[in-house]
Amino acid sequence: MRLLFLLFFLPFFSSAEINQALQTQLIDMEKQDQSVRKQLGKAGWDKTSKELHAKISAIDHENTEKLKVILSKRHWFKESEVGKEGIGAAFLIIQHSPDQSFQERMLPVLKNSYLKNEGISGQEVALLTDRVLIHKGQKQRYGTQANINNGEITFEPISDIETVDKRRAEMNMPPLEFYKKLMEEMYGIKDHPEIELN
């Protein structure tokens, strides 16, 4: 009964606050990002054409530049302004950005959003943290960054690997072994019937 009540009244409370134009712009950018990556997933990461990889790079660059323009007039987004979907879309653009200095600059902003419970998840902080560390030639903390070599998932070096699952749990993430299986399923490397992808 409580759930129905919330669903009934939610649009009336949120529509007055959500910036629909900005939310739509962010979500449209995310759709572009995900559309080409779904093609990559179907083909298999190591079997994808150079043209598709070039298309992904072009979209990542274009989305980065668009997001920079939006953020030039603000610090970051609030969930009340662009919704969880808008926050998630903006994060994805940063995570896939080819601009490493932009990613590094945005990391403390995202951490702050997470600590204030303003829409960024622990997993998103972990993903960007690891990406920044790897770009700087350091070991990752959470084991989120991996490569596909000869049909095998290989993780970038992880600091204190014995305690990585503890750090992952603190960020509300599954154990590393499950994450590896999830990637194998996503990229068509191995079939894991127990894992259902949306």
Side-chain angles (χ1 to χ4, degrees):
M1 189 64 153
R2 185 168 173 244
L3 180 61
L4 291 173
F5 176 85
L6 287 172
L7 290 174
F8 183 77
F9 284 99
L10 185 60
F12 295 97
F13 287 112
S14 62
S15 61
E17 298 174 1
I18 295 287
N19 182 331
Q20 295 288 349
L22 182 55
Q23 183 190 58
T24 299
Q25 185 179 7
L26 293 169
I27 291 171
D28 285 347
M29 291 157 70
E30 178 189 31
K31 283 178 182 173
Q32 271 195 311
D33 175 293
Q34 290 300 287
S35 175
V36 288
R37 281 177 166 82
K38 279 179 186 170
Q39 293 174 45
L40 183 146
K42 285 177 187 174
W45 182 271
D46 49 357
K47 298 173 188 146
T48 306
S49 67
K50 288 180 182 177
E51 289 78 16
L52 183 55
H53 278 293
K55 189 176 179 183
I56 290 169
S57 294
I59 287 171
D60 289 346
H61 176 75
E62 184 182 331
N63 279 346
T64 296
E65 294 311 306
K66 285 180 183 175
L67 187 59
K68 282 182 185 175
V69 170
I70 295 169
L71 290 174
S72 68
K73 300 166 187 163
R74 62 175 58 244
H75 183 64
W76 181 237
F77 310 99
K78 292 195 174 174
E79 190 175 346
S80 59
E81 178 190 25
V82 296
K84 188 82 173 164
E85 299 88 352
I87 295 275
F91 163 76
L92 200 68
I93 293 159
I94 294 167
Q95 182 70 6
H96 291 161
S97 174
D99 187 338
Q100 295 172 17
S101 62
F102 176 58
Q103 290 177 322
E104 191 170 348
R105 195 167 68 247
M106 292 307 300
L107 181 55
V109 176
L110 268 58
K111 280 182 181 175
N112 190 49
S113 174
Y114 167 64
L115 292 172
K116 290 184 175 179
N117 198 27
E118 291 181 347
I120 287 290
S121 71
Q123 178 171 306
E124 288 166 338
V125 170
L127 282 160
L128 189 58
T129 297
D130 281 353
R131 187 152 290 194
V132 167
L133 287 170
I134 294 297
H135 286 158
K136 292 168 81 174
Q138 299 174 24
K139 291 182 177 180
Q140 58 178 328
R141 282 184 50 76
Y142 302 100
T144 65
Q145 305 299 296
N147 297 304
I148 300 172
N149 297 311
N150 300 317
E152 291 286 331
I153 300 280
T154 55
F155 288 97
E156 295 282 356
I158 302 169
S159 62
D160 301 319
I161 195 163
E162 299 82 9
T163 56
V164 68
D165 281 344
K166 183 182 177 209
R167 292 192 297 278
R168 290 176 65 87
E170 286 168 357
M171 304 304 263
N172 200 26
M173 298 164 68
L176 193 65
E177 188 57 35
F178 180 85
Y179 181 59
K180 183 179 181 182
K181 288 180 180 180
L182 185 65
M183 285 192 289
E184 288 172 342
E185 183 78 22
M186 279 175 60
Y187 291 110
I189 295 169
K190 285 183 187 174
D191 184 34
H192 296 284
E194 74 276 16
I195 296 175
E196 289 185 19
L197 298 175
N198 293 331

